[in-house]
Amino acid sequence: MLDGHFVVEHGARSRRGTFFNSTARRAFWRRQAIEDAGGWEHDTLTEDTDLSYRAQLYGWKFLYLPDIECASELPVDMNSFKVQQARWAKGLMQTAKKILLA
């Protein structure tokens, strides 16, 4: 599911030059992009998404490079998966409210 999300959605958005969110475990950042966007903030559960949208609003461009492999961990059971998904959904809504209502 995650691979599909990254390969299909992030790949398409990267090719089109449209915004897409970064996840901290799969990103390389330029220090200047972080500084220009106002730095890491802890007021949402998805601070990586928050920072990535703020950086893109500032003018930084993101690239999705599917040939670079990055191992990640999956939740160990279905309950952990549900908790993870709920946190991501809540964090995305927090980020949307923060950025869209600013």
Side-chain angles (χ1 to χ4, degrees), residues 16-75:
R16 292 186 61 176
T18 56
F19 281 21
F20 64 94
N21 67 303
S22 169
T23 58
R25 70 182 174 278
R26 295 182 184 238
F28 294 95
W29 283 86
R30 291 180 187 257
R31 171 180 242 146
Q32 192 62 52
I34 294 171
E35 291 173 1
D36 288 348
W40 287 96
E41 297 178 356
H42 64 278
D43 56 347
T44 70
L45 289 174
T46 52
E47 67 280 351
D48 48 357
T49 296
D50 173 35
L51 177 61
S52 68
Y53 285 137
R54 287 186 287 117
Q56 290 171 93
L57 286 168
Y58 191 86
W60 284 91
K61 302 294 182 197
F62 285 19
L63 294 174
Y64 175 73
L65 306 172
D67 295 334
I68 297 175
E69 293 185 20
C70 180
S72 62
E73 293 183 27
L74 297 174

Side-chain angles (χ1 to χ4, degrees), residues 82-97:
K82 289 177 183 180
V83 169
Q84 177 193 59
Q85 295 300 304
R87 285 179 53 83
W88 285 354
K90 182 176 181 177
L92 291 173
M93 289 297 103
Q94 290 172 330
T95 299
K97 286 180 184 178

